[in-house]
Each structure stands twice: as C-alpha cells, then as structure tokens.
Amino acid sequence: MSREARRDDLIAAALDLFSTSPPERVSVDDIAARADVSRPLFYRYFSSIRELQVAALRTVTDGLIDRLAVDAEGEPLDRLRAVVRGLIAVADEYRAGYIALLRSGSVIATSETEALVDQVRNRAVELILAELGVAEPSPLLLVTLRCWTAVVEGTLLSWLQEGALPRDELDTWLVDQLVAMLTVTATHDPATVSFASPPARRGGRR
C-alpha cells in the first residue's frame, strides 16, 4: 500500500470510529486496531492523535465544500435546495466529525479546525452571492448571509444530536429562512436583493 493510501486508510478508520464515539475519546490504539496496523506504523504517518483528528475533520469540511461546488440545475432556489440537501447528507455521513467541528467547547477545537469551518462558511456565502448576481455585497447583506450559515449549522447540529426534525423538510425550511432573512434585509438596505426580486432589481451594488 502506498504512503498516501495508508494515510487515507487511517483517516477512514478514524472517521469510522467517530461515527460512534466523539473524536476526543478515540485513541491511537483504537485507530490502529480499526486500520489493522501497529501503533509504531501509525506514528509513521501522523505525529500525534491531534494531527490525525485535524486531518479527519478536514475530510469532513472538504466534503462540505465539494457539495457547495455542485452545479445543480433549475431555478436559483431549486439549486440552493439541492446544495443544502448535499450538506445535510455530508453532515449525516460524518455525523460525529461534523458535531466535533461545530460543538462549542470541544476539546479538539483549535485555530486550525476553526479555520476549516470558516472555509465552509465563506464558500456558502460566495455561492449565494453568485446566485444573487452580487459582486460587491453591502455590509448588511454580508451579515445576513453569515447569520444564515449559523442557522444552517445550528439546525444540522440539532437534527444530528436530537433527531426531532424531519430530514425531508430541512432543505426547504432552511432555504425559506434565507429568503425571509433577505426580504427583511432588503427593507433596510436598498443594495440588498433577494431571490424573489424581479430581474430589474437583481445585481445590487456592483
């Protein structure tokens, strides 16, 4: 097995364990056993359990960013719903890893993991601005979009941890939240447009 393949295998083993245990409770021995390698071999690829945790969490954020890059068909709102469904699928696939990324006070939280989360948030904002046709968003529009990403994260955390929200309604509800937030922002900021705006208004500040 190549070095890269072995490294990926260890990351996959870690993510598999994260599906049933919080990352901070998974040890080097647990990962080595799941990947069927020795403890010394583990340290040939990662200097510490923390390095592997960050690499595994990067796999989660890479999956989220890949979903944000999906070029779905249809109207803007339909495309955005498709993207949100993709985010839901990734969060569900990497449930424990996603929770670890966003959970307040996580013992594995570092400036690096926070930067990984910011990459996803920034890509989501870029995607929405592109759909709105806005090249130079106003400060209030940016605040609105960043607040919506927080709504998405909070909703997915509640869904993953409590299971009380119906999955098949999450994408529509979250997109409706965005439309409502943009509509309210537009009443306070003439530079803001919404998905419901007529074509003549689309474009905002350029």
Side-chain angles (χ1 to χ4, degrees):
M1 184 178 292
S2 70
R3 180 175 181 82
E4 183 178 353
R6 176 64 73 187
R7 190 174 187 277
D8 289 344
D9 197 43
L10 287 166
I11 291 173
L15 287 170
D16 187 35
L17 290 168
F18 293 171
S19 67
T20 56
S21 301
E24 61 266 28
R25 294 183 183 176
V26 176
S27 69
V28 170
D29 289 334
D30 293 331
I31 295 168
R34 181 60 60 92
D36 195 24
V37 301
S38 66
R39 183 183 178 91
L41 186 60
F42 171 93
Y43 285 107
R44 289 181 57 186
Y45 297 93
F46 296 96
S47 63
S48 65
I49 186 68
R50 179 61 62 91
E51 183 183 351
L52 175 58
Q53 288 168 343
V54 173
L57 296 181
R58 182 178 289 280
T59 298
V60 179
T61 55
D62 286 348
L64 293 169
I65 291 174
D66 287 345
R67 293 290 184 163
L68 287 169
V70 171
D71 187 17
E73 298 181 352
E75 295 299 315
L77 288 179
D78 294 330
R79 293 198 296 271
L80 188 56
R81 288 189 190 97
V83 167
V84 172
R85 285 194 296 272
L87 295 179
I88 294 169
V90 174
D92 190 26
E93 180 180 358
Y94 299 119
R95 179 178 297 258
Y98 184 85
I99 292 172
L101 272 174
L102 301 178
R103 187 177 55 201
S104 175
S106 172
V107 299
I108 65 170
T110 65
S111 59
E112 186 170 359
T113 58
E114 290 171 359
L116 294 177
V117 174
D118 283 341
Q119 288 177 17
V120 179
R121 292 169 178 161
N122 293 338
R123 181 68 188 98
V125 170
E126 291 171 2
L127 173 72
I128 298 167
L129 289 174
E131 290 293 350
L132 290 171
V134 177
E136 297 180 22
S138 68
L140 192 55
L141 176 56
L142 280 177
V143 168
T144 300
L145 298 183
R146 288 168 182 160
C147 286
W148 182 73
T149 65
V151 171
V152 173
E153 291 171 1
T155 299
L156 292 183
L157 277 178
S158 295
W159 174 63
L160 292 172
Q161 293 176 309
E162 301 166 13
L165 300 172
R167 175 174 179 156
D168 59 357
E169 297 178 13
L170 286 181
D171 60 311
T172 296
W173 184 81
L174 286 169
V175 172
D176 286 349
Q177 288 287 323
L178 175 60
V179 172
M181 292 171 72
L182 288 172
T183 300
V184 171
T185 298
T187 66
H188 296 270
D189 179 16
T192 294
V193 296
S194 79
F195 286 106
S197 298
R201 288 192 57 200
R202 292 178 66 85
R205 291 173 56 200
R206 294 183 179 275

